[in-house]
Amino acid sequence: AHGFLTSEGKKMSKSLGNVVNPIDVTEEFGTDPVRWYCLREIVFGQDGDWGREKFVNRNNADLANNFGNLAQRSLSMIQKNFAGVLPEAAQTDADRAVVAGTVAAIGKMNEAMQSQSLHDATAELVGALNAANLYFADQAPWGLKADLPRMGTILTTTADVVRRCAIAALPFVPAAAAKMLDLLAVPADRRLLADALGADGLAAGTQLPPPEPVFKKFEQIKAA
């Protein structure tokens, strides 16, 4: 069972006019972002707080700027520089390290799920995405137009990390994660936890569909 929710730090009541209608919230923002906030921000079984500003900040930081940006940048570069075909990956230690770190984080997610520590599981996923974004920034594939094999390795490695993270994210943001796996041309029968933890990466030569943004970035409502 879950705990009680307050609204902006106060108990919900009709007299205060601060009752939050979950149907209205999901219609405005979508189910996945609201699911993510509740699972990431609230310790399962304990009381929590719904705040619009906190929700927007959490969505933008974790989903739009972190997860979505990594996927969009890498897939857009594959589309632009390799006609949407996954290039070969001749991985170096740096490439293997980011994949290994992702696999380790997903393993810790699985452990957290066994004890229903859902907020810890989401934190592990965000940690893996942070490391992948740092890897992508450090490797700077956009500056390697004179070395397409190296650029291709970085992009395919990043896309594979996105694949693994998207599989791990399916219980938390099912619709968005499934769409991301569609953009990576991952077959429906290759979306299990074992596939995220396994040694096999994305197959070079796979034709990917044109990339699309998966997560929306929301704006804060400015005070009048």
Side-chain angles (χ1 to χ4, degrees), residues 139-198:
Q139 298 300 318
W142 51 87
L144 297 172
K145 293 183 179 180
D147 188 357
L148 286 180
R150 179 59 194 153
M151 178 196 285
T153 293
I154 297 165
L155 295 177
T156 293
T157 298
T158 303
D160 186 52
V161 167
V162 171
R163 173 188 69 90
R164 294 172 188 273
C165 288
I167 292 173
L170 279 168
F172 303 97
V173 284
K179 181 178 179 181
M180 194 167 284
L181 291 167
D182 289 342
L183 293 174
L184 292 164
V186 177
D189 61 351
R190 297 297 304 274
R191 301 184 178 190
L192 300 176
L193 182 62
D195 299 307
L197 294 170

Side-chain angles (χ1 to χ4, degrees), residues 35-117:
R35 282 172 63 103
W36 179 261
Y37 175 86
C38 292
L39 294 168
R40 173 93 162 99
E41 198 74 23
I42 302 168
V43 178
F44 186 63
Q46 298 185 19
D47 295 347
D49 183 64
W50 169 268
R52 186 185 181 95
E53 182 177 352
K54 289 192 295 184
F55 164 78
V56 170
N57 289 340
R58 176 61 68 193
N59 173 83
N60 292 352
D62 289 356
L63 301 180
N65 295 341
N66 199 343
F67 203 171
N69 192 46
L70 181 67
Q72 184 68 14
R73 292 177 74 191
S74 57
L75 294 181
S76 294
M77 289 190 67
I78 292 172
Q79 188 71 32
K80 179 180 179 180
N81 296 280
F82 298 92
V85 177
L86 275 172
E88 294 283 349
Q91 291 186 329
T92 65
D93 288 345
D95 309 316
R96 287 187 285 268
V98 72
V99 174
T102 302
V103 171
I106 294 173
K108 292 178 181 177
M109 286 182 70
N110 189 35
E111 293 175 5
M113 294 287 277
Q114 303 309 312
S115 61
Q116 299 180 354
S117 301

Side-chain angles (χ1 to χ4, degrees), residues 126-140:
V126 170
L129 291 165
N130 286 339
N133 272 290
L134 183 60
Y135 158 83
F136 195 76
D138 286 344
Q139 298 300 318

